[in-house]
Amino acid sequence: MSANLVPLEAFLDLPDHARLLGLDLGTKTIGLALSDVERQIATPLETIKRVKFGLDAAALLKITQKHAVAGLVIGLPLNMDGSEGPRVQSTRAFIRNLAPLTALPIAFWDERLSTMAVTRTLLDADASRAKRAAVVDKMAAAYILQGALDRLMRMPAADPES
């Protein structure tokens, strides 16, 4: 396992005002969301059309530099019963290949129901099918990242004395 694969709690030790980038890895696209510098709010950023790993990784790493990202939160598409299927294996393989290319800490976040929740929100907002298709991946990334940010805010801060 790569040294930069960390539990979410490790993000509590990141420098102040450092952003996190959330990723929703799909087979055809990668949805991206960016946190604010206070790490409280996730905002949909963009969607990368997947081509091949080298190009996808280069585009992703360029975005991390452009936005001064200090850590990555990757949606882990577990099955509803918590088991790991082919999509989890694909996500882990992508991260296994990405991790050596960056020093950024990487944490997984359970993304069950994220796309369904976002799609329901878009349907409730009466978004057209084309509009939903254009934004669902980056909105799912924001949903994933917001879940991780909310969890981080509920974690006790590390004791500076320890």
Side-chain angles (χ1 to χ4, degrees):
M1 187 154 102
S2 177
N4 49 346
L5 284 178
V6 300
L8 189 65
E9 299 81 43
F11 287 177
L12 292 172
D13 297 328
L14 290 175
D16 289 343
H17 307 297
R19 297 174 186 268
L20 299 179
L21 187 70
L23 283 77
D24 179 39
L25 282 175
T27 54
K28 296 179 181 161
T29 60
I30 302 172
L32 302 176
L34 191 63
S35 77
D36 63 325
V37 294
E38 299 298 324
R39 293 196 292 265
Q40 294 182 359
I41 300 170
T43 304
L45 183 62
E46 65 181 88
T47 301
I48 297 173
K49 194 140 193 76
R50 297 205 45 189
V51 184
K52 63 180 189 177
F53 175 79
L55 296 173
D56 300 346
L60 181 60
L61 294 175
K62 185 175 180 181
I63 289 165
T64 64
Q65 291 172 343
K66 176 182 176 184
H67 294 285
V69 169
L72 303 176
V73 176
I74 315 297
L76 196 62
L78 297 169
N79 293 326
M80 290 309 293
D81 64 1
S83 64
E84 296 189 5
R87 288 196 55 231
V88 169
Q89 293 168 4
S90 172
T91 298
R92 288 191 189 279
F94 183 91
I95 297 307
R96 201 170 31 252
N97 292 327
L98 180 69
L101 305 178
T102 181
L104 294 174
I106 301 169
F108 288 113
W109 182 256
D110 181 351
E111 73 159 53
R112 282 179 276 190
L113 300 179
S114 62
T115 301
M116 187 186 316
V118 167
T119 301
R120 179 158 299 155
T121 300
L122 290 169
L123 285 169
D124 290 348
D126 225 10
S128 68
R129 183 180 300 266
K131 176 71 172 166
R132 286 195 312 268
V135 301
V136 71
D137 296 317
K138 63 184 177 182
M139 287 187 67
Y143 187 91
I144 291 162
L145 181 56
Q146 189 64 56
L149 293 173
D150 291 348
R151 177 71 185 107
L152 283 168
M153 284 189 278
R154 289 191 306 269
M155 288 181 181
D159 182 3
E161 300 296 312
S162 59

